[in-house]
Amino acid sequence: MIGLVRNEWKKVFLPVLLTTVLLAIAMSVLSCTIYQNYVLHYDLEAWEVGTELFSLLYPLFVVMPLCWNLYYERKNNFLLYVMPRVKIKKYLTAKWIAYALGTLCIIVIPYILPPVVPFVENPFSHIFENAFIKAPLLYAVALSLWRGIVSLFVMTFGFVLALYCKNIFVILTGPFMYSILENFVLAILRLERLRLVVAFDPTTINPEVVSIFSFFFGPIVLSIVIGLTAFLLSKKNAIVTI
């Protein structure tokens, strides 16, 4: 299995590396510039302000550099050549693990790297306020790791679409469109605190309404959507065409 994962990792290493580097540079630049237009209270707020745009676009960043690979392996019938040598489930598991590692690199590394600029402390309200003020590095690392976990669900959605869909546009943008639709529907229902984007970035909403459900509701619903999508598409399309 380790050898399979290593081989699959080699296939996506360059896109993952380029995406990670570009995101790290962009976040670093924005964290050092955008904050100047805001009234901030603590140093870590510069990091939040500089990276908030990526909370909307992250589904694209964790799907596009990865799931194209599975799509083209299906399209070119490469999976047919794999089946005699290794069980397809084992092969796909190794590929998912490699994609998961890529997802964590793309999300966690750029979010941790941007520098922060110190500011004068003033009273304010923030999610996990005590950790944010007294242990900003721990807060940033923990939140970045959690964002990586949430992103795994998004990547898995793209992975499932790549297994069964024939349209590359749907595969690469489907998870992003889902996040937009889910955001819109829950906003209409006045359940903004349960949106997937809040689970990814709890600072996008008033901290007073954030609860434990805000972190788990979105990923749980997405898991159900992934399961239903896999079930329905598997009835219509095969992973490989013989």
Side-chain angles (χ1 to χ4, degrees):
M1 176 63 76
I2 296 178
L4 283 175
V5 173
R6 186 182 299 110
N7 288 336
E8 295 307 311
W9 172 249
K10 291 178 181 178
K11 295 178 183 179
V12 296
F13 173 75
L14 184 57
V16 168
L17 177 62
L18 292 176
T19 304
T20 302
V21 171
L22 290 176
L23 285 179
I25 293 174
M27 290 186 184
S28 297
V29 171
L30 293 176
S31 295
C32 292
T33 56
I34 291 184
Y35 77 88
Q36 299 176 24
N37 298 321
Y38 290 78
V39 177
L40 305 181
H41 306 87
Y42 294 93
D43 54 353
L44 203 56
E45 286 185 277
W47 174 72
E48 290 185 338
V49 169
T51 60
E52 62 182 358
L53 173 65
F54 302 95
S55 297
L56 175 65
L57 301 177
Y58 80 94
L60 296 175
F61 300 141
V62 300
V63 173
M64 285 187 166
L66 298 166
C67 294
W68 64 271
N69 170 253
L70 179 55
Y71 166 77
Y72 280 107
E73 287 192 357
R74 281 185 59 237
K75 183 179 180 180
N76 298 330
N77 288 325
F78 177 80
L79 297 181
L80 287 175
Y81 298 99
V82 171
M83 292 173 64
R85 292 179 292 173
V86 62
K87 292 182 179 180
I88 190 65
K89 289 185 178 179
K90 184 176 181 180
Y91 178 77
L92 293 176
T93 299
K95 185 176 286 293
W96 184 90
I97 293 174
Y99 286 11
L101 293 174
T103 298
L104 293 176
C105 289
I106 291 170
I107 293 298
V108 177
I109 294 176
Y111 268 105
I112 292 178
L113 289 181
V116 294
V117 183
F119 293 90
V120 178
E121 296 184 4
N122 291 301
F124 83 131
S125 178
H126 196 282
I127 183 73
F128 301 126
E129 183 175 329
N130 192 50
F132 183 85
I133 297 173
K134 298 181 179 179
L137 180 59
L138 177 61
Y139 172 91
V141 171
L143 182 57
S144 297
L145 290 174
W146 172 250
R147 285 170 170 165
I149 293 174
V150 173
S151 298
L152 289 179
F153 289 89
V154 177
M155 180 276 295
T156 301
F157 191 20
F159 189 89
V160 168
L161 292 176
L163 277 177
Y164 299 106
C165 285
K166 298 179 181 180
N167 190 315
I168 185 65
F169 179 79
V170 172
I171 293 170
L172 298 183
T173 64
F176 174 70
M177 297 307 296
Y178 166 82
S179 68
I180 296 297
L181 180 61
E182 181 249 24
N183 192 25
F184 177 72
V185 171
L186 290 181
I188 291 178
L189 298 176
R190 298 183 180 277
L191 296 174
E192 296 92 342
R193 66 186 182 280
L194 301 180
R195 296 172 300 165
L196 185 64
V197 68
V198 175
F200 184 84
D201 185 0
T203 63
T204 58
I205 197 171
N206 188 333
E208 295 180 359
V209 303
V210 176
S211 66
I212 188 67
F213 296 105
S214 301
F215 292 93
F216 294 101
F217 183 84
I220 290 174
V221 171
L222 180 54
S223 297
I224 296 173
V225 171
I226 292 171
L228 289 175
T229 301
F231 175 77
L232 294 175
L233 292 180
S234 65
K235 297 297 182 180
K236 184 179 180 180
N237 301 314
I239 295 179
V240 295
T241 302
I242 301 177

